[in-house]
Amino acid sequence: MYTELSKTERKKAIKVIEKHLKKYNSYKIAIINMKEQLDRIQSRNATKTNTLTLSQKVEEQERLVSYLEELELLVESMDRSLEDLSDLEVEFIQYRYFKKWSIEKSALNLGYSSKAIFSIRNQIMDKLIISLSPIIQLEVSLERE
């Protein structure tokens, strides 16, 4: 399915992938923060000193658990996809998306021309479009609703 995309569909898929790559570090931090928040909620439930009703506490905890599971699945999917890339491709992603460097700065640091970097980027996106297709498909379908 994702190997034969139209130009428009490919652009949408790349946009989704790049959005998540740029937010990757924030997702990892959010996972840590949510786990700490859940620990606090559970300890608060044990001491029963909070003014929230039991149902409010359970609702808050369920909401956090649900969001945490979504983020963990997203990060794990991205991690698996990145493992399939070459060292050069991973290095490009780290510079371009995780550190938010420009194409030119990334190219200079990797020792490639900007034109060659665009070619590398396209190869990466072709791989990620396939490996992250469930995430892309979900997001594109949510946009239609």
Side-chain angles (χ1 to χ4, degrees):
M1 177 180 167
Y2 277 93
T3 56
E4 299 175 9
L5 295 176
S6 71
K7 196 172 188 176
T8 304
E9 292 170 325
R10 187 175 189 282
K11 282 184 180 182
K12 282 182 184 179
I14 289 172
K15 188 176 179 179
V16 168
I17 291 168
E18 288 183 323
K19 176 186 83 169
H20 288 300
L21 287 172
K22 288 176 182 176
K23 293 180 179 181
Y24 178 82
N25 290 327
S26 297
Y27 292 155
K28 291 190 118 183
I29 293 167
I31 288 169
I32 293 166
N33 291 340
M34 278 188 265
K35 285 180 178 179
E36 287 181 6
Q37 182 66 22
L38 282 168
D39 287 345
R40 280 193 210 117
I41 290 170
Q42 289 168 348
S43 67
R44 206 171 48 201
N45 288 349
T47 60
K48 296 182 182 177
T49 59
N50 196 300
T51 58
L52 292 176
T53 66
L54 181 59
S55 65
Q56 288 172 318
K57 290 177 186 178
V58 169
E59 187 178 308
E60 180 184 4
Q61 190 171 354
E62 286 175 351
R63 184 181 49 79
L64 277 173
V65 167
S66 175
Y67 189 57
L68 175 62
E69 288 172 348
E70 283 181 40
L71 276 182
E72 285 178 328
L73 179 61
L74 177 60
V75 168
E76 289 167 6
S77 297
M78 292 173 70
D79 286 343
R80 280 189 298 275
S81 295
L82 294 174
E83 287 173 6
D84 189 43
L85 302 178
S86 72
D87 291 343
L88 172 65
E89 292 167 334
V90 170
E91 206 172 353
F92 169 76
I93 285 176
Q94 289 171 342
Y95 294 145
R96 180 71 179 122
Y97 301 108
F98 298 172
K99 293 183 178 184
K100 297 174 179 64
W101 287 6
S102 68
I103 288 284
E104 293 77 19
K105 185 175 179 180
S106 300
L108 183 65
N109 206 56
L110 291 169
Y112 286 85
S113 68
S114 293
K115 186 176 180 179
I117 286 296
F118 277 109
S119 179
I120 292 167
R121 176 194 167 270
N122 287 334
Q123 291 171 5
I124 293 168
M125 291 303 147
D126 288 342
K127 291 177 183 178
L128 294 181
I129 284 170
I130 295 168
S131 64
L132 294 175
S133 63
I135 292 165
I136 297 165
Q137 191 172 21
L138 176 65
E139 251 184 77
V140 170
S141 67
L142 288 174
E143 284 178 9
R144 289 184 197 142
E145 293 177 359

